[in-house]
Amino acid sequence: MNTTSSSAQTLGVAGERTGYALQTEGLGKRYGKKWALRDCTLSLPTGKIAALVGPNGAGKTTLLHLCVGLTQPSAGSVRVCGYSPQTQAKAMLPHIGFVAQDHPLYKGFSVAETLTMGRHLNPRWDNALAERRLRALNIPLEQRADKLSGGQQAQVALALALAKRPDVLLLDEPLASLDPLARRDFLRTLTESVAEQGVSVLLSSHNVADLERVCDYLIILSASRVQLAGDIDEIKRTHNATLEDITLDYLGQSAKGTLS
């Protein structure tokens, strides 16, 4: 799944060409005396579907919120498509899609009304794409969001993010509350969309088995720091182990403090 997004490669400050969808340098966020994320340095190549793995409290949501500009860093820097979320948010936002963990939708809106809102708020909006994907999933456009199942709400949230025609898609635990069938449908929609649109993806989840089916890049985050990052096939070859065993090993070591 290494479809490279040519549009993402040409974005950046003053038209600077970059081969990275997302870059952080010494990125950190502190609440009082506690660091939610610390010394986070990583570069996510364009065209990758990256798994962001870590235990609760590792800093995954903090990292994603910093990437979309929902929170301000205490240290370091972050760029998405070459843009700073803190100083270039207006230029950056049309190029990114974001799905939060609780799939926030306006509960009183119908699906069709939700799409209308998306069309008015996003300059690159592709309404035909959103409608086509939702109809393929048998999600009625006239249904109110609060009457949809959890899996259907997740699919609507994903359709909204994809209809922005983003270059980078950030997903914060979108599978957490879904049953196995809904997870399968969500991941299938995601992989089809990536193949079609060439979007780069950072997908946060606890379920390594699900991630291994769709991701080709791994970022392990634990103890508020990046512990490992790289191509999954190369990581498995180097460690001569399964992805699940590698992940558990790194998380176990960081919990003991041997990687801090």
Short mmCIF file of all heavy atoms in Angstrom, two decimals, residues 77-112:
data_model
loop_
_atom_site.label_atom_id
_atom_site.label_comp_id
_atom_site.label_asym_id
_atom_site.label_seq_id
_atom_site.Cartn_x
_atom_site.Cartn_y
_atom_site.Cartn_z
N SER A 77 8.49 21.28 17.48
CA SER A 77 7.70 21.72 16.34
C SER A 77 7.08 20.54 15.62
O SER A 77 7.52 19.40 15.75
CB SER A 77 8.59 22.50 15.36
OG SER A 77 9.60 21.66 14.82
N VAL A 78 6.03 20.83 14.85
CA VAL A 78 5.36 19.82 14.03
C VAL A 78 4.96 20.47 12.73
O VAL A 78 4.56 21.65 12.69
CB VAL A 78 4.12 19.23 14.76
CG1 VAL A 78 3.15 20.33 15.19
CG2 VAL A 78 3.41 18.23 13.87
N ARG A 79 5.08 19.71 11.64
CA ARG A 79 4.62 20.16 10.32
C ARG A 79 3.84 19.03 9.67
O ARG A 79 4.27 17.88 9.69
CB ARG A 79 5.78 20.59 9.42
CG ARG A 79 6.43 21.89 9.88
CD ARG A 79 7.38 22.46 8.85
NE ARG A 79 7.93 23.72 9.30
CZ ARG A 79 7.34 24.91 9.10
NH1 ARG A 79 6.19 24.95 8.44
NH2 ARG A 79 7.89 26.01 9.54
N VAL A 80 2.71 19.38 9.08
CA VAL A 80 1.88 18.43 8.33
C VAL A 80 1.75 18.98 6.92
O VAL A 80 1.34 20.12 6.72
CB VAL A 80 0.50 18.26 8.98
CG1 VAL A 80 -0.31 17.20 8.22
CG2 VAL A 80 0.62 17.88 10.45
N CYS A 81 2.16 18.18 5.93
CA CYS A 81 2.23 18.64 4.54
C CYS A 81 3.12 19.88 4.42
O CYS A 81 2.91 20.73 3.56
CB CYS A 81 0.84 18.95 3.99
SG CYS A 81 -0.22 17.52 3.81
N GLY A 82 4.10 20.00 5.30
CA GLY A 82 5.00 21.14 5.28
C GLY A 82 4.51 22.36 6.01
O GLY A 82 5.23 23.35 6.11
N TYR A 83 3.29 22.31 6.54
CA TYR A 83 2.71 23.46 7.23
C TYR A 83 2.75 23.29 8.74
O TYR A 83 2.63 22.18 9.26
CB TYR A 83 1.24 23.65 6.82
CG TYR A 83 1.03 24.01 5.38
CD1 TYR A 83 0.48 23.07 4.50
CD2 TYR A 83 1.32 25.28 4.90
CE1 TYR A 83 0.26 23.40 3.16
CE2 TYR A 83 1.10 25.61 3.57
CZ TYR A 83 0.58 24.68 2.71
OH TYR A 83 0.36 24.99 1.39
N SER A 84 2.88 24.41 9.45
CA SER A 84 2.81 24.42 10.90
C SER A 84 1.35 24.59 11.33
O SER A 84 0.71 25.58 10.95
CB SER A 84 3.64 25.56 11.47
OG SER A 84 3.31 25.80 12.83
N PRO A 85 0.81 23.66 12.14
CA PRO A 85 -0.57 23.83 12.62
C PRO A 85 -0.75 25.07 13.49
O PRO A 85 -1.86 25.59 13.59
CB PRO A 85 -0.81 22.55 13.44
CG PRO A 85 0.23 21.59 12.99
CD PRO A 85 1.40 22.41 12.59
N GLN A 86 0.33 25.52 14.10
CA GLN A 86 0.24 26.66 15.01
C GLN A 86 0.25 28.00 14.27
O GLN A 86 -0.46 28.93 14.65
CB GLN A 86 1.39 26.63 16.03
CG GLN A 86 1.23 25.60 17.12
CD GLN A 86 1.41 24.18 16.61
OE1 GLN A 86 2.37 23.89 15.90
NE2 GLN A 86 0.48 23.30 16.94
N THR A 87 1.02 28.12 13.20
CA THR A 87 1.16 29.41 12.51
C THR A 87 0.58 29.43 11.10
O THR A 87 0.44 30.50 10.51
CB THR A 87 2.65 29.80 12.43
OG1 THR A 87 3.36 28.82 11.66
CG2 THR A 87 3.25 29.90 13.83
N GLN A 88 0.23 28.26 10.55
CA GLN A 88 -0.28 28.18 9.17
C GLN A 88 -1.53 27.32 9.09
O GLN A 88 -1.76 26.62 8.11
CB GLN A 88 0.81 27.63 8.24
CG GLN A 88 2.06 28.49 8.19
CD GLN A 88 3.19 27.79 7.45
OE1 GLN A 88 3.62 26.71 7.84
NE2 GLN A 88 3.65 28.41 6.37
N ALA A 89 -2.35 27.39 10.14
CA ALA A 89 -3.52 26.52 10.21
C ALA A 89 -4.47 26.71 9.03
O ALA A 89 -5.01 25.74 8.48
CB ALA A 89 -4.26 26.75 11.53
N LYS A 90 -4.71 27.94 8.64
CA LYS A 90 -5.65 28.20 7.55
C LYS A 90 -5.19 27.56 6.25
O LYS A 90 -6.00 27.02 5.50
CB LYS A 90 -5.82 29.72 7.36
CG LYS A 90 -6.90 30.08 6.34
CD LYS A 90 -7.10 31.59 6.29
CE LYS A 90 -8.19 31.94 5.26
NZ LYS A 90 -8.42 33.42 5.21
N ALA A 91 -3.90 27.60 5.99
CA ALA A 91 -3.36 26.97 4.79
C ALA A 91 -3.32 25.45 4.91
O ALA A 91 -3.50 24.73 3.92
CB ALA A 91 -1.97 27.52 4.51
N MET A 92 -3.10 24.95 6.13
CA MET A 92 -2.94 23.51 6.33
C MET A 92 -4.25 22.74 6.33
O MET A 92 -4.34 21.64 5.76
CB MET A 92 -2.22 23.27 7.66
CG MET A 92 -1.95 21.81 7.98
SD MET A 92 -1.55 21.51 9.73
CE MET A 92 -3.17 21.72 10.49
N LEU A 93 -5.28 23.28 6.97
CA LEU A 93 -6.49 22.51 7.25
C LEU A 93 -7.16 21.90 6.02
O LEU A 93 -7.68 20.78 6.10
CB LEU A 93 -7.49 23.37 8.04
CG LEU A 93 -7.09 23.62 9.50
CD1 LEU A 93 -8.08 24.57 10.17
CD2 LEU A 93 -7.02 22.30 10.27
N PRO A 94 -7.19 22.55 4.85
CA PRO A 94 -7.80 21.89 3.69
C PRO A 94 -7.09 20.61 3.26
O PRO A 94 -7.66 19.79 2.54
CB PRO A 94 -7.70 22.96 2.59
CG PRO A 94 -7.63 24.25 3.32
CD PRO A 94 -6.83 23.95 4.55
N HIS A 95 -5.86 20.43 3.70
CA HIS A 95 -5.06 19.29 3.26
C HIS A 95 -5.09 18.11 4.21
O HIS A 95 -4.47 17.08 3.94
CB HIS A 95 -3.61 19.74 3.05
CG HIS A 95 -3.45 20.81 2.02
ND1 HIS A 95 -3.52 20.56 0.67
CD2 HIS A 95 -3.27 22.15 2.17
CE1 HIS A 95 -3.37 21.70 0.01
NE2 HIS A 95 -3.22 22.68 0.89
N ILE A 96 -5.79 18.24 5.36
CA ILE A 96 -5.81 17.14 6.31
C ILE A 96 -7.25 16.74 6.65
O ILE A 96 -8.15 17.56 6.66
CB ILE A 96 -5.05 17.48 7.61
CG1 ILE A 96 -5.73 18.64 8.35
CG2 ILE A 96 -3.60 17.80 7.33
CD1 ILE A 96 -5.15 18.88 9.73
N GLY A 97 -7.44 15.46 6.89
CA GLY A 97 -8.69 14.94 7.41
C GLY A 97 -8.44 14.36 8.79
O GLY A 97 -7.36 13.80 9.04
N PHE A 98 -9.40 14.50 9.69
CA PHE A 98 -9.21 14.04 11.06
C PHE A 98 -10.48 13.35 11.55
O PHE A 98 -11.58 13.89 11.40
CB PHE A 98 -8.88 15.22 11.97
CG PHE A 98 -8.73 14.86 13.43
CD1 PHE A 98 -7.79 13.94 13.84
CD2 PHE A 98 -9.51 15.48 14.40
CE1 PHE A 98 -7.64 13.60 15.18
CE2 PHE A 98 -9.37 15.17 15.74
CZ PHE A 98 -8.42 14.23 16.13
N VAL A 99 -10.34 12.16 12.10
CA VAL A 99 -11.45 11.44 12.72
C VAL A 99 -11.09 11.22 14.18
O VAL A 99 -10.13 10.51 14.50
CB VAL A 99 -11.74 10.09 12.03
CG1 VAL A 99 -12.86 9.35 12.75
CG2 VAL A 99 -12.11 10.31 10.57
N ALA A 100 -11.86 11.84 15.08
CA ALA A 100 -11.61 11.71 16.51
C ALA A 100 -12.14 10.38 17.04
O ALA A 100 -12.96 9.72 16.39
CB ALA A 100 -12.25 12.88 17.26
N GLN A 101 -11.72 10.02 18.23
CA GLN A 101 -12.05 8.72 18.79
C GLN A 101 -13.55 8.51 18.96
O GLN A 101 -14.06 7.41 18.75
CB GLN A 101 -11.35 8.54 20.14
CG GLN A 101 -11.60 7.19 20.79
CD GLN A 101 -10.76 6.98 22.04
OE1 GLN A 101 -9.90 7.79 22.36
NE2 GLN A 101 -10.99 5.90 22.74
N ASP A 102 -14.29 9.56 19.34
CA ASP A 102 -15.72 9.39 19.59
C ASP A 102 -16.59 9.73 18.38
O ASP A 102 -17.80 9.87 18.50
CB ASP A 102 -16.15 10.26 20.79
CG ASP A 102 -15.75 11.72 20.62
OD1 ASP A 102 -15.09 12.05 19.62
OD2 ASP A 102 -16.09 12.54 21.50
N HIS A 103 -15.95 9.83 17.18
CA HIS A 103 -16.68 10.08 15.93
C HIS A 103 -17.70 11.21 16.08
O HIS A 103 -18.90 11.00 15.86
CB HIS A 103 -17.42 8.81 15.46
CG HIS A 103 -16.64 7.55 15.62
ND1 HIS A 103 -17.15 6.43 16.21
CD2 HIS A 103 -15.36 7.25 15.28
CE1 HIS A 103 -16.24 5.47 16.22
NE2 HIS A 103 -15.15 5.95 15.67
N PRO A 104 -17.29 12.41 16.48
CA PRO A 104 -18.26 13.47 16.78
C PRO A 104 -19.05 13.89 15.55
O PRO A 104 -18.49 14.28 14.52
CB PRO A 104 -17.38 14.62 17.29
CG PRO A 104 -16.03 14.35 16.70
CD PRO A 104 -15.90 12.87 16.63
N LEU A 105 -20.37 13.82 15.66
CA LEU A 105 -21.29 14.26 14.62
C LEU A 105 -22.37 15.09 15.29
O LEU A 105 -22.66 14.92 16.47
CB LEU A 105 -21.93 13.06 13.90
CG LEU A 105 -21.00 12.06 13.20
CD1 LEU A 105 -21.80 10.85 12.74
CD2 LEU A 105 -20.28 12.70 12.02
N TYR A 106 -22.99 16.00 14.54
CA TYR A 106 -24.14 16.73 15.07
C TYR A 106 -25.33 15.78 15.10
O TYR A 106 -25.88 15.41 14.06
CB TYR A 106 -24.43 17.96 14.21
CG TYR A 106 -23.43 19.07 14.41
CD1 TYR A 106 -22.38 19.27 13.52
CD2 TYR A 106 -23.53 19.92 15.52
CE1 TYR A 106 -21.45 20.28 13.71
CE2 TYR A 106 -22.60 20.94 15.72
CZ TYR A 106 -21.57 21.11 14.81
OH TYR A 106 -20.64 22.12 15.01
N LYS A 107 -25.72 15.37 16.31
CA LYS A 107 -26.68 14.28 16.46
C LYS A 107 -28.04 14.59 15.85
O LYS A 107 -28.75 13.70 15.41
CB LYS A 107 -26.85 13.93 17.95
CG LYS A 107 -25.55 13.61 18.67
CD LYS A 107 -24.78 12.47 18.00
CE LYS A 107 -23.53 12.12 18.80
NZ LYS A 107 -22.73 11.07 18.13
N GLY A 108 -28.43 15.87 15.82
CA GLY A 108 -29.73 16.22 15.28
C GLY A 108 -29.75 16.37 13.77
O GLY A 108 -30.82 16.54 13.16
N PHE A 109 -28.58 16.30 13.14
CA PHE A 109 -28.48 16.43 11.69
C PHE A 109 -28.72 15.07 11.04
O PHE A 109 -28.30 14.03 11.56
CB PHE A 109 -27.10 16.92 11.27
CG PHE A 109 -26.90 18.40 11.39
CD1 PHE A 109 -27.69 19.18 12.21
CD2 PHE A 109 -25.87 19.02 10.68
CE1 PHE A 109 -27.49 20.55 12.33
CE2 PHE A 109 -25.65 20.39 10.79
CZ PHE A 109 -26.47 21.15 11.61
N SER A 110 -29.37 15.07 9.89
CA SER A 110 -29.39 13.87 9.07
C SER A 110 -28.02 13.71 8.42
O SER A 110 -27.20 14.64 8.42
CB SER A 110 -30.47 13.97 7.99
OG SER A 110 -30.12 14.94 7.03
N VAL A 111 -27.78 12.53 7.85
CA VAL A 111 -26.51 12.31 7.15
C VAL A 111 -26.38 13.30 5.99
O VAL A 111 -25.32 13.89 5.77
CB VAL A 111 -26.41 10.86 6.65
CG1 VAL A 111 -25.15 10.66 5.81
CG2 VAL A 111 -26.43 9.89 7.83
N ALA A 112 -27.48 13.51 5.25
CA ALA A 112 -27.45 14.45 4.12
C ALA A 112 -27.14 15.86 4.59
O ALA A 112 -26.36 16.59 3.94
CB ALA A 112 -28.79 14.42 3.39
#
